[in-house]
């Protein structure tokens, strides 16, 4: 199903867990099935250490989800904001995310600021594991269209 083009902005709420055989999994997103023109900066912390990075390539980094060896039955939560998604301008993206866990510190929390250097309106969004894993049962992605009142 294509994303309607009659909104001003998009908000996406994600609750996800990965089947990857590890403690966590990087979750990425692409627009309109395009694998080029992306760049992003991120700030990631675990309660004691903070790391920053930037990259460009074939996706926007949207967050980290717990995986099979992480705290059982927990999910990563993402809030993603895409303003002016239907315009003929480059698309900016912001994401913040956190993983649940039963440790004394947060397993992962972070912020991403991204750019898709493409002037096509966004009509589809794909989320996927950077490691080829699947999302487990009860993972959800909810898309909201925001309409500006004039």
């Amino acid at each position: 199903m294509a994303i309607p083009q009659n909104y001003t902005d998009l908000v996406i709420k994600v609750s996800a867990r990965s089947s990857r055989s590890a403690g966590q999994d990087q979750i990425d997103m692409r627009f309109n099935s395009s694998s080029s023109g992306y760049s992003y900066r991120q700030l990631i912390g675990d309660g004691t250490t903070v790391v920053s990075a930037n990259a460009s390539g074939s996706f926007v980094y949207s967050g980290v989800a717990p995986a099979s060896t992480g705290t059982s039955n927990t999910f990563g939560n993402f809030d993603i904001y895409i303003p002016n998604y239907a315009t003929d301008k480059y698309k900016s993206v912001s994401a913040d995310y956190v993983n649940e866990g039963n440790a004394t510190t947060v397993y992962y929390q972070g912020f991403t600021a991204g750019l898709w250097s493409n002037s096509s309106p966004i009509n589809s969004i794909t989320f996927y594991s950077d490691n080829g894993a699947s999302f487990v049962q009860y993972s959800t992605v909810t898309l909201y269209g925001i309409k500006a009142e004039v």
Side-chain angles (χ1 to χ4, degrees):
M1 171 183 269
I3 297 172
Q5 300 294 297
N6 59 332
Y7 296 105
T8 308
D9 307 332
L10 298 176
V11 171
I12 306 165
K13 303 285 189 174
V14 179
S15 179
R17 183 173 177 90
S18 169
S19 65
R20 179 180 180 210
S21 295
Q24 73 222 8
D25 197 1
Q26 177 177 317
I27 306 301
D28 303 325
M29 68 179 154
R30 287 186 176 149
F31 305 124
N32 301 355
S33 301
S34 173
S35 60
S36 64
Y38 300 94
S39 59
Y40 62 89
R41 292 182 181 263
Q42 61 186 5
L43 182 64
I44 303 172
D46 65 3
T48 58
T49 306
V50 176
V51 177
S52 64
N54 62 336
S56 60
S58 62
F59 60 86
V60 170
Y61 180 95
S62 61
V64 177
S68 64
T69 63
T71 302
S72 62
N73 301 316
T74 60
F75 287 72
N77 297 292
F78 308 58
D79 286 323
I80 301 163
Y81 179 64
I82 307 169
N84 303 309
Y85 75 100
T87 67
D88 61 355
K89 309 289 185 226
Y90 288 179
K91 310 305 181 287
S92 63
V93 179
S94 63
D96 63 270
Y97 50 92
V98 65
N99 284 350
E100 298 177 27
N102 61 5
T104 56
T105 59
V106 174
Y107 194 63
Y108 260 107
Q109 58 190 14
F111 302 95
T112 299
L115 180 70
W116 183 41
S117 298
N118 190 307
S119 59
S120 297
I122 295 173
N123 57 38
S124 70
I125 302 171
T126 304
F127 290 91
Y128 63 95
S129 160
D130 192 59
N131 298 287
S134 300
F135 292 110
V136 302
Q137 185 178 19
Y138 305 117
S139 294
T140 60
V141 176
T142 307
L143 175 69
Y144 296 93
I146 308 297
K147 197 168 200 171
E149 293 296 325
V150 213

